[in-house]
Amino acid sequence: MELQQTYSRTQQILSAFAANDSSMRIIYQPSAISPYDRVQTLRFYGFITSLRMKVDIQSLNEADLPDLEADATRLERLTALRNMEWRSPRKQITFFLRTANVSWQPIFDISLINRLPYYAVNLLPYLTDNISFDTSNDCLIGAQITNAGYGLLEGADRVTLYGSVREEITTLPTDAKEISFATPHSWTIDDTSSLILPANPNRQQVTLVNTSLTDEAFINYGGMASLGQGITLMRGGGSYEINMSNLYRGAISAISANPLTLTGIEAV
């Protein structure tokens, strides 16, 4: 029996914000294996090893450096630094995380002040105490310029994010059987459990998509599905895939509280 194989590569992070840019920017999303792969939802998982930010703010007055006595205590120095960063005129950038099941959640904010000519911030310690920040294959990291009372970036203001990610993927043996053809399907389901696919000993892949914008669908392995149980396909395009990493060749059933349409394919 052949062992699974692990492949790795390095990806660059590079994104920049300029004047009046308030959009949510995806800073990093694990890469798809290939846009031409038969399983296009399959993605690398990543280890962010470096993430830095260059801050060049010119639209605000230069922040005053703390004037400290030589014998100032550590607490006094930290307080003065905090006040410079968070009580000076400033812009702000907010970082977010998202997964397939949880929407964008704010993780931390960074104050953006005028410190001529510019300065750099190491962002990795805001994400982890380790040497890298580990991401799952459904994780997204986002950033957005947010108004902290002094508006968005203006004029020549510029914030640049840059770093690197080591990505890995574990694959099945290269001599695994290839898909020969696929059959497209469309099913109308309601509050009575329906058998949408019978058992198929030759199955290699199934993809199911919920096209409803208002209702969830519930999927079960076997001939009987139940409302609120099993695999949930969320409204608005929720999907589920069976492939060589989670292969199941038995019957598949589906149900929903209200009539809706599922689409999909079964490949052999």
Side-chain angles (χ1 to χ4, degrees):
M1 181 176 180
E2 293 190 42
L3 297 177
Q4 293 181 335
Q5 297 174 314
T6 298
Y7 296 91
S8 63
R9 66 182 185 182
T10 298
Q11 288 288 92
Q12 195 71 42
I13 295 175
L14 183 61
S15 187
F17 295 86
N20 300 314
D21 189 346
S22 62
S23 61
M24 169 70 75
R25 190 78 56 80
I26 295 178
I27 302 304
Y28 173 67
Q29 178 181 20
S31 306
I33 300 304
S34 166
Y36 308 106
D37 197 272
R38 71 176 189 240
V39 185
Q40 295 187 15
T41 58
L42 192 61
R43 291 184 176 273
F44 285 86
Y45 47 93
F47 304 90
I48 299 176
T49 56
S50 172
L51 184 60
R52 298 181 65 84
M53 175 173 66
K54 177 186 176 183
V55 181
D56 186 0
I57 302 297
Q58 302 180 25
S59 62
L60 301 173
N61 292 330
E62 185 177 359
D64 294 328
L65 293 175
D67 184 11
L68 296 171
E69 299 295 336
D71 59 350
T73 66
R74 183 173 183 272
L75 176 60
E76 289 172 333
R77 295 176 186 275
L78 291 174
T79 300
L81 180 61
R82 180 202 63 188
N83 291 342
M84 180 185 72
E85 291 189 354
W86 295 99
R87 293 183 178 175
S88 300
R90 64 188 177 90
K91 310 294 184 177
Q92 180 172 291
I93 186 170
T94 303
F95 289 82
F96 300 81
L97 282 180
R98 178 179 178 177
T99 66
N101 298 315
V102 181
S103 61
W104 290 112
Q105 299 296 314
I107 303 301
F108 61 91
D109 302 314
I110 299 290
S111 175
L112 308 173
I113 59 178
N114 184 347
R115 289 164 53 187
L116 294 176
Y118 60 84
Y119 62 99
V121 180
N122 181 11
L123 299 176
L124 197 58
Y126 291 89
L127 291 170
T128 180
D129 293 329
N130 299 319
I131 61 174
S132 68
F133 179 66
D134 303 348
T135 66
S136 61
N137 58 10
D138 68 339
C139 174
L140 284 79
I141 299 177
Q144 183 177 31
I145 302 295
T146 50
N147 190 343
Y150 295 89
L152 303 175
L153 301 184
E154 305 171 58
D157 292 348
R158 193 167 183 86
V159 174
T160 305
L161 302 170
Y162 57 99
S164 59
V165 185
R166 187 179 76 255
E167 294 187 326
E168 293 185 357
I169 187 67
T170 300
T171 67
L172 294 170
T174 55
D175 62 351
K177 181 183 176 183
E178 292 289 327
I179 287 175
S180 56
F181 68 91
T183 303
H185 292 277
S186 177
W187 305 274
T188 299
I189 64 171
D190 52 27
D191 60 357
T192 301
S193 177
S194 301
L195 179 68
I196 59 174
L197 285 174
N200 184 346
N202 298 314
R203 177 186 299 152
Q204 294 199 71
Q205 183 198 359
V206 168
T207 301
L208 304 173
V209 180
N210 179 9
T211 65
S212 172
L213 298 178
T214 57
D215 290 278
E216 285 73 42
F218 303 95
I219 307 300
N220 188 41
Y221 287 173
M224 184 63 65
S226 301
L227 287 173
Q229 298 179 344
I231 301 165
T232 303
L233 303 187
M234 299 302 293
R235 67 190 72 178
S239 63
Y240 181 72
E241 183 171 88
I242 298 171
N243 53 52
M244 297 299 289
S245 65
N246 65 339
L247 191 58
Y248 169 75
R249 288 173 167 159
I252 301 173
S253 55
I255 193 171
S256 64
N258 296 296
L260 58 78
T261 299
L262 294 181
T263 60
I265 62 169
E266 181 178 41
V268 299

